[in-house]
């Protein structure tokens, strides 16, 4: 009965996504110019996605064959299902985003309410597709194989796709964005999304492949991995079928809560966009909490200890929501302080942003620690997995808000390039400013849930290799800790370097076009947009391989060379180091971005002055931090943990000299 409910919930999510998709397509797409611009963005985005997945496909085929021969055929099949569903979720989200952008811009002619409605519905399509596909994949595999250990491959497949999507999409989007800003804003003094900028289309393409497809794959992975980790723990702790199925039922309840939450997003007379979006989030969490109470009471015969664990997961989600909003919202003290620092130059602006980013890590970590303590107190190790599931159960709503960001960003770009009236651009700018904060908040949510999911995976790994105590005086554990602590820095450095090299090529190309095609600045000559798109695409596909391989190779090497104790130390190190590093990079980057937007809103001299130029430099530094390296760490942590579980049995046998 329970599994039937879970499968129905997945189908309902996909059906709801389909209805929203159709309703948006019925809306007018705007003028011929708007459709032309949107078409160029769509063409670039889909071309990149196709080439990216062809590249990943080769790697996936090799891994599938290895899993089939070295582990078992069931794990290989699960890996393929997880990878395919993750890629499908990315394609669905991309298709919606590149269609909702121009319709949001067109709806802005009718006012803020109409434009917000389209952007939110567009984001909801991605959110519902992700949870629908995720829960169907896990439930169907469990129905067929009956054993959570045989479906861990699905988590590995989703993690691998997420890693490459995050790394590749992040490199693409920030190479284009940084290149466009350095030459367009700083050197030429032209507005953001000015059609004269040769990198403007590549920048808008990047918003979709990085923020939409990338975040979609990220949270699809977290959703699937959290489900499987909770099921593995239930099986390892002997909690029976009820304990194994309970996380899936929680996920099903979260789907229905998120559908209701989407309808709760309503803007009032005050035109408070953030308030409208917050209504949807908190309505979803309240409904989910009520559902968790009933589900726990019924499935565990009145024992509510896991309900209290679930509440701790929802509490940390709410805490991260408010904490991230405080550090990244355009009108809050931390962002204003960064903007004011730009008055004395780019250097002080960057220093202020670094300081805010570092300080911003403390409260989220304390919130996560408090949630872990509460969840463990009530429900033990399994309680931590349930807290993770409670947090991740509202993924559909969180992805809705995240995908809202690139949709509104693109809408503003289309409005600017198509020469729409100023009042339209004012609306799209207001939507986009909130979009920066929603993206920051959803990244905070993704990081927090990734840490909790990784902790659940870590516990499942320890159970698999029979580790009850991890001795910090054991040299192997200490070696693993140091390697694990180093990996997120090495990984982030590789990505930042990749963005820098790709942006260098974009800057040179944009400068070349301005020099060799003087008619561009006069509006008499069309820039070669396709060239910038091609440069970003090739750079992203080339540069994403090394970080992805690093995430897979390190746990394999440590496990077989140094044994399960060292591998446990590695995972502990990467979870702690990665969590703090990701929080720092994402929050500081978002704060730099909104500090720039605070100035562009007319404060501290407004656009064009020295203060604004200094803030643009800070934003340029923050771009790859918040949209490339920072979010990709989530996938890094989970890939390393899922790989470790997949090879756990082999590592244990090898360490005992049995193979």
């Amino acid at each position: 009965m329970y599994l039937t409910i879970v499968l129905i919930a997945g189908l309902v999510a996909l059906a709801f996504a389909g209805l929203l998709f159709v309703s948006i397509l019925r809306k007018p797409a705007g003028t011929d110019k708007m459709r032309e611009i949107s078409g160029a963005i769509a063409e670039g985005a889909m071309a990149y996605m196709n080439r990216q997945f062809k590249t990943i496909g080769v790697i996936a085929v090799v891994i599938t064959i290895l899993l089939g021969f070295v582990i078992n055929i069931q794990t290989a099949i699960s890996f393929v299902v997880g990878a395919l569903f993750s890629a499908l979720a990315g394609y669905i989200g991309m298709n919606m985003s590149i269609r909702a952008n121009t319709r949001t811009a067109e709806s802005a002619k009718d006012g803020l309410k109409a434009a917000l409605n389209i952007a939110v519905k567009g984001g909801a399509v991605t959110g519902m597709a992700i949870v629908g596909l995720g829960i169907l994949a896990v439930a169907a595999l469990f129905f067929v194989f009956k054993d959570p250990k045989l479906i861990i491959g699905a988590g590995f497949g989703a993690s691998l796709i997420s890693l490459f999507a995050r790394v590749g999409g992040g490199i693409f989007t920030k190479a284009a964005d940084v290149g466009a800003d350095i030459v367009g804003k700083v050197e030429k003094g032209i507005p953001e999304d000015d059609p004269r900028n040769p990198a403007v289309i590549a920048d808008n393409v990047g918003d979709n492949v990085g923020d939409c497809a990338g975040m979609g794959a990220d949270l699809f992975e977290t959703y699937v991995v959290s489900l499987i980790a909770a099921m593995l723990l239930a099986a390892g702790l002997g909690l029976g079928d009820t304990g194994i199925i309970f996380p899936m039922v929680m996920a099903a309840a979260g789907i229905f809560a998120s559908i209701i939450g989407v309808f709760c997003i309503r803007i009032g007379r005050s035109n408070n966009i953030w308030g409208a979006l917050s209504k949807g989030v908190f309505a979803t969490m309240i409904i989910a909490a009520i559902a968790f109470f009933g589900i726990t009471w019924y499935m565990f015969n009145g024992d509510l200890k896991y309900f209290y664990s679930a509440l701790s997961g929802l509490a940390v989600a709410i805490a991260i929501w408010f904490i991230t909003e405080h550090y990244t919202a355009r009108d809050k003290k931390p962002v204003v302080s960064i903007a004011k620092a730009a008055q004395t130059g780019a250097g002080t602006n960057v220093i202020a942003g670094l300081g805010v980013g570092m300080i911003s890590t403390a409260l989220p970590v304390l919130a996560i620690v408090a949630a872990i303590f509460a969840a463990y107190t009530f429900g033990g190790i399994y309680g931590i997995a349930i807290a993770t599931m409670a947090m991740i159960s509202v993924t559909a709503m969180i992805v809705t808000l995240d995908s809202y960001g690139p949709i509104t960003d693109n809408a503003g770009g289309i409005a600017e390039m198509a020469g729409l009236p100023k009042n339209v651009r004012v609306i799209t700018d207001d939507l986009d400013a909130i979009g920066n904060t929603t993206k920051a908040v959803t990244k905070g949510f993704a990081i927090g849930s990734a840490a909790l999911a990784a902790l659940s995976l870590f516990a499942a790994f320890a159970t698999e290799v029979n580790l009850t105590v991890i001795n910090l005086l054991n040299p192997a554990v200490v070696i693993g800790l140091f390697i694990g602590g180093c990996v997120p820095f090495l990984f982030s450095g590789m990505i930042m370097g990749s963005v820098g090299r790709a942006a260098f090529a974009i800057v040179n190309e944009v400068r070349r076009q301005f020099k060799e095609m003087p008619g561009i600045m006069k509006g008499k000559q069309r820039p070669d947009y396709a060239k910038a798109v091609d440069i970003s695409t090739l750079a992203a596909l080339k540069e994403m391989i090394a970080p992805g391989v690093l995430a897979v190779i390190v746990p394999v090497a440590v496990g077989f060379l140094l044994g399960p104790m060292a591998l446990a130390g590695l995972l502990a190190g990467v979870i702690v180091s990665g969590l703090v590093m990701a929080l720092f990079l994402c929050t500081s980057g978002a704060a730099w971005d909104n500090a720039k937007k605070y100035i562009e809103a007319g404060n501290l001299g407004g656009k064009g002055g020295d203060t604004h130029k200094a803030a643009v430099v800070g934003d340029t530094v923050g771009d790859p931090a918040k949209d490339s390296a920072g979010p990709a760490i989530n996938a890094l942590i989970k890939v390393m943990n899922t790989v470790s579980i997949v090879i756990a049995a082999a590592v244990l046998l090898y360490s005992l000299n049995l193979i």
Side-chain angles (χ1 to χ4, degrees), residues 421-446:
K422 184 178 180 180
N423 66 304
V424 172
R425 186 67 212 235
V426 168
I427 290 173
T428 58
D429 280 350
D430 287 342
L431 292 170
D432 183 30
I434 297 298
N436 278 330
T437 303
T438 63
K439 286 188 286 186
V441 169
T442 53
K443 286 184 178 74
F445 174 91

Side-chain angles (χ1 to χ4, degrees), residues 101-113:
N101 53 19
T102 186
R103 288 169 173 82
T104 299
E106 177 66 16
S107 296
K109 296 176 181 178
D110 299 322
L112 180 62
K113 182 178 180 180

Side-chain angles (χ1 to χ4, degrees), residues 535-552:
I535 290 173
S536 291
T537 299
L538 293 175
L541 295 177
K542 175 185 175 183
E543 301 277 1
M544 73 179 184
I545 301 299
V549 171
L550 175 75
V552 176

Side-chain angles (χ1 to χ4, degrees), residues 253-331:
I255 287 174
F256 292 114
S258 296
I259 290 173
I260 297 171
V262 170
F263 289 108
C264 291
I265 297 177
R266 291 280 186 269
I267 195 162
R269 293 180 180 179
S270 63
N271 286 338
N272 185 341
I273 303 170
W274 181 255
L277 297 174
S278 298
K279 288 177 190 174
V281 173
F282 295 125
T284 300
M285 290 189 179
I286 291 170
I287 295 166
I290 295 170
F292 295 157
F293 177 86
I295 292 167
T296 309
W297 180 276
Y298 185 79
M299 294 185 70
F300 292 96
N301 300 315
D303 187 349
L304 293 176
K305 62 183 179 181
Y306 296 131
F307 168 68
Y308 300 131
S309 293
L311 286 184
S312 68
L314 291 176
V316 75
I318 293 171
I320 288 175
W321 175 273
F322 283 112
I323 293 167
T324 310
E325 192 257 347
H326 169 74
Y327 282 108
T328 61
R330 189 172 64 178
D331 58 342

Side-chain angles (χ1 to χ4, degrees), residues 17-95:
L19 289 173
L20 291 177
F21 196 107
V22 171
S23 70
I24 291 172
L25 290 184
R26 288 175 178 170
K27 299 293 183 181
T31 64
D32 291 342
K33 182 66 173 176
M34 293 170 67
R35 289 196 295 272
E36 178 189 344
I37 295 166
S38 179
I41 295 170
E43 182 181 350
M46 294 310 298
Y48 172 76
M49 289 283 284
N50 290 336
R51 292 171 70 173
Q52 175 180 257
F53 284 122
K54 284 180 182 177
T55 304
I56 300 172
V58 175
I59 299 171
V61 168
V62 173
I63 292 176
T64 302
I65 294 170
L66 288 174
L67 289 175
F69 279 101
V70 178
I71 309 298
N72 54 58
I73 191 65
Q74 294 95 330
T75 300
I77 292 171
S78 297
F79 172 81
V80 171
V81 171
L84 286 177
F85 274 48
S86 180
L88 181 59
Y91 269 110
I92 291 173
M94 179 67 71
N95 268 286

Side-chain angles (χ1 to χ4, degrees), residues 142-522:
F142 180 71
F143 178 79
V144 173
F145 296 141
K146 311 298 183 186
D147 185 352
K149 291 182 181 179
L150 297 177
I151 65 175
I152 185 61
F156 182 26
S159 296
L160 192 72
I161 294 297
S162 169
L163 181 65
F164 284 114
R166 258 303 183 196
V167 173
I171 293 170
F172 184 111
T173 183
K174 291 304 109 179
D177 194 1
V178 169
D181 282 355
I182 287 177
V183 184
K185 284 186 175 182
V186 178
E187 295 182 5
K188 294 294 184 181
I190 58 179
E192 187 171 0
D193 297 317
D194 192 299
R196 293 173 293 178
N197 194 324
V200 70
I201 294 294
D203 186 9
N204 281 277
V205 169
D207 290 331
N208 291 285
V209 301
D211 286 326
C212 186
M215 176 59 86
D218 187 352
L219 284 172
F220 176 89
E221 170 213 16
T222 301
Y223 192 78
V224 169
V225 164
S226 299
L227 269 172
I228 295 173
M231 295 165 70
L232 281 170
L233 276 177
L237 296 170
L239 298 178
D241 289 343
T242 299
I244 292 172
I245 294 176
F246 180 56
M248 288 192 282
V249 179
M250 291 180 67
I255 287 174
F256 292 114
S258 296
I259 290 173
I260 297 171
V262 170
F263 289 108
C264 291
I265 297 177
R266 291 280 186 269
I267 195 162
R269 293 180 180 179
S270 63
N271 286 338
N272 185 341
I273 303 170
W274 181 255
L277 297 174
S278 298
K279 288 177 190 174
V281 173
F282 295 125
T284 300
M285 290 189 179
I286 291 170
I287 295 166
I290 295 170
F292 295 157
F293 177 86
I295 292 167
T296 309
W297 180 276
Y298 185 79
M299 294 185 70
F300 292 96
N301 300 315
D303 187 349
L304 293 176
K305 62 183 179 181
Y306 296 131
F307 168 68
Y308 300 131
S309 293
L311 286 184
S312 68
L314 291 176
V316 75
I318 293 171
I320 288 175
W321 175 273
F322 283 112
I323 293 167
T324 310
E325 192 257 347
H326 169 74
Y327 282 108
T328 61
R330 189 172 64 178
D331 58 342
K332 299 292 185 180
K333 185 177 179 180
V335 167
V336 174
S337 70
I338 296 172
K340 288 181 177 178
Q343 292 176 302
T344 51
T348 47
N349 176 262
V350 170
I351 292 169
L354 289 172
V356 167
M358 291 175 183
I359 291 170
S360 72
T361 62
L363 290 179
V365 169
L366 290 176
I368 291 169
V369 168
I372 291 170
F373 177 79
Y376 184 82
T377 299
F378 291 117
I381 290 294
Y382 182 66
I384 297 174
I386 293 306
T388 308
M389 272 315 306
M391 187 177 182
I392 209 67
S393 69
V394 297
T395 290
M397 174 54 67
I398 298 301
V399 175
T400 295
L401 300 189
D402 186 76
S403 296
Y404 158 94
I407 289 172
T408 56
D409 197 346
N410 273 197
I414 291 169
E416 179 74 30
M417 288 184 278
L420 298 186
K422 184 178 180 180
N423 66 304
V424 172
R425 186 67 212 235
V426 168
I427 290 173
T428 58
D429 280 350
D430 287 342
L431 292 170
D432 183 30
I434 297 298
N436 278 330
T437 303
T438 63
K439 286 188 286 186
V441 169
T442 53
K443 286 184 178 74
F445 174 91
I447 294 164
S449 60
L452 288 174
L455 187 59
S456 299
L457 288 169
F458 180 69
F461 165 78
T463 302
E464 187 71 15
V465 296
N466 302 318
L467 286 180
T468 56
V469 176
I470 299 174
N471 185 0
L472 288 176
L473 297 179
N474 185 321
V477 174
V478 175
I479 291 170
L481 276 171
F482 274 99
I483 295 173
C486 173
V487 167
F489 286 84
L490 176 61
F491 179 81
S492 300
M494 293 168 71
I495 294 174
M496 296 288 271
S498 297
V499 172
R501 287 188 292 273
F504 182 84
I506 291 289
V507 167
N508 283 335
E509 173 59 24
V510 174
R511 286 173 175 167
R512 181 194 67 80
Q513 290 196 34
F514 278 130
K515 181 179 179 180
E516 297 178 6
M517 304 163 70
I520 290 177
M521 282 300 291
K522 299 176 182 178

